[in-house]
Amino acid sequence: MNRRRCVNAAITVVCALTVLASPALTLQASAAPAAPKAVPAAPAAPAAPLPPTAPKKTLEEVRKEIDGLYRKAAAATDAYNLAEEQTEEQSAEIVRLAKMIVAGREKIDALKSQAGAAARAQYRNGGLPEGAQFVLTDDPQLFLDNAGRLKEGQKATKDLLAEMTNTQAQLTVYAKDAGTNWTKLEANRVKQATAKKDIEEKIAAAKKLESELAAEERERLRRLEEQEQYRAQTAWLDTGVLKGLSDTATPQGKRAVEFATAQIGKPYVWGAEGPDSYDCSGLTQRAWGKAGRNIPRTSQEQWRLLPRVDIKDMRPGDLIVYYQDASHIGMYVGNGAMVHAPRPGRNVTLAGAGSMEILGVVRPE
């Protein structure tokens, strides 16, 4: 009995120790289990340093960035305008070739009809041409009279076959040219789409920069633009460039100047050729078109293809090309001034002819 009590007591102690040593067990008793001993927290890792805040751009830096974006947009506009002009040319050429192909096929059909009529006549005559029937006659006089007709008939048949062969060869060339022009047309459409995307991105970026400025800063930005143009114009005039320059335009040049200045106040829109809005080369092209002289569409092509003159010989109506990439152009109107369509967000206006970096001068006349 004592042994049994000792065993029972030992089991009770073991169970109690087991319960106390197992914090994961849930006790059904009303008393809450003792809280586990707190473990000291590991020392916190040092916080990563924040990236340095970019210094705020000065207004002059913003002005230069905006000006650069609009310059790039102007260059892309030239690429767009050139691709558009080439697309129109290729489209017109494809239409012209298509008409020639239709006319050629109609001619082939007519020649085939002639050849068929000759073949049917020969069949009716027993396989001999009509002229040969006369040649084979027993009448000597009739033979002599119609020998020439046989020769003429042979020549006519030979000419008919040659004409058919030549017309068919022309049709092959027209079809090949049409295919080539179609390939060029599609390539120009891709160029247009790429240039358009580039233009819109650059203009959107420039407008975003401006929109982030407060109203007072935007006004200061406008004054900075004017000051930069005034500084450049003053430096240009200080070279004495106006000495000896003629302010007399030719009759054709005068008409071009009158048209261009009449557009003052109309908005710049890239790719526009009037009458309600213009880009820079659209204005100069339209003005000289009104004066009776067709000139290329883009400022780069106007610079490349029109006759160049020395700036000391410049006269009203001449075109001043700006920047090393020929991405901007204006028309000299005399007295050191020019008229131009500046950029998106601006209107056609008068400005100092030397207010931007001059590449050279061309004369459409």
Side-chain angles (χ1 to χ4, degrees):
M1 176 64 83
N2 290 335
R3 185 178 179 183
R4 184 180 301 168
R5 282 201 297 268
C6 289
V7 170
N8 289 338
I11 292 172
T12 303
V13 170
V14 169
C15 289
L17 289 174
T18 302
V19 170
L20 291 175
S22 303
L25 293 177
T26 303
L27 302 180
Q28 300 298 324
S30 58
K37 187 176 180 181
V39 179
L50 294 173
T53 304
K56 186 177 179 181
K57 295 176 182 176
T58 67
L59 206 54
E60 175 61 15
E61 289 173 332
V62 172
R63 183 195 68 77
K64 287 181 178 179
E65 188 173 353
I66 290 173
D67 185 60
L69 286 166
Y70 279 126
R71 286 269 309 281
K72 290 176 182 176
T77 298
D78 248 22
Y80 176 90
N81 289 337
L82 182 60
E84 182 179 48
E85 186 175 47
Q86 291 173 339
T87 296
E88 290 173 356
E89 290 173 358
Q90 298 301 334
S91 296
E93 182 64 11
I94 288 171
V95 170
R96 185 185 72 83
L97 289 167
K99 289 179 179 178
M100 293 176 73
I101 289 172
V102 170
R105 285 175 178 166
E106 289 176 348
K107 186 176 181 181
I108 287 286
D109 290 342
L111 292 171
K112 284 181 178 178
S113 180
Q114 285 181 274
R120 287 192 296 273
Q122 185 173 340
Y123 176 79
R124 288 194 300 271
N125 292 326
L128 292 175
E130 185 179 353
Q133 301 294 326
F134 292 106
V135 172
L136 295 176
T137 180
D138 293 333
D139 186 339
Q141 185 61 47
L142 189 60
F143 175 86
L144 293 173
D145 290 344
N146 292 285
R149 291 179 60 190
L150 176 59
K151 188 175 181 179
E152 290 175 1
Q154 289 174 335
K155 184 178 183 302
T157 301
K158 184 178 180 181
D159 290 348
L160 177 64
L161 292 174
E163 191 172 3
M164 287 180 67
T165 301
N166 184 55
T167 303
Q168 189 63 54
Q170 287 178 338
L171 283 176
T172 302
V173 172
Y174 295 157
K176 183 179 178 181
D177 288 348
T180 300
N181 279 282
W182 183 263
T183 301
K184 290 179 181 177
L185 178 65
E186 290 305 303
N188 287 327
R189 285 175 176 163
V190 171
K191 288 179 185 176
Q192 271 186 279
T194 302
K196 181 179 180 181
K197 183 173 182 291
D198 195 19
I199 294 164
E200 291 174 341
E201 286 176 352
K202 297 295 186 296
I203 292 175
K207 287 182 175 178
K208 184 175 183 294
L209 279 174
E210 269 190 282
S211 69
E212 291 171 349
L213 299 174
E216 181 183 344
E217 289 179 312
R218 285 197 293 272
E219 178 58 26
R220 285 177 55 211
L221 179 67
R222 186 187 63 79
R223 289 199 299 270
L224 278 176
E225 289 177 356
E226 292 176 349
Q227 289 169 9
E228 176 59 25
Q229 292 168 4
Y230 178 78
R231 184 202 61 75
Q233 174 73 355
T234 301
W236 183 66
L237 293 176
D238 286 346
T239 64
V241 68
L242 292 188
K243 292 177 182 177
L245 274 187
S246 173
D247 281 340
T248 304
T250 63
Q252 203 173 19
K254 184 179 180 182
R255 289 196 297 274
V257 169
E258 286 174 348
F259 179 87
T261 53
Q263 310 313 305
I264 290 174
K266 293 183 179 180
Y268 175 105
V269 174
W270 67 265
E273 304 171 18
D276 300 321
S277 57
Y278 297 89
D279 63 20
C280 65
S281 56
L283 176 65
T284 54
Q285 184 196 44
R286 187 66 66 190
W288 270 102
K290 288 293 183 180
R293 173 79 166 90
N294 291 325
I295 64 175
R297 172 63 180 89
T298 71
S299 59
Q300 292 172 345
E301 289 295 282
Q302 289 172 15
W303 168 244
R304 187 173 71 88
L305 298 174
L306 295 178
R308 298 181 186 180
V309 298
D310 196 292
I311 200 166
K312 65 182 177 60
D313 299 320
M314 186 168 58
R315 67 189 184 204
D318 289 346
L319 305 180
I320 307 176
V321 184
Y322 294 96
Y323 306 118
Q324 291 303 309
D325 60 358
S327 58
H328 191 68
I329 196 164
M331 180 181 292
Y332 186 63
V333 297
N335 199 30
M338 60 96 173
V339 61
H340 71 145
R343 66 166 176 82
R346 300 288 187 266
N347 297 331
V348 176
T349 187
L350 283 175
S355 58
M356 293 173 285
E357 176 195 344
I358 295 177
L359 176 62
V361 180
V362 293
R363 179 169 292 162
E365 293 178 276

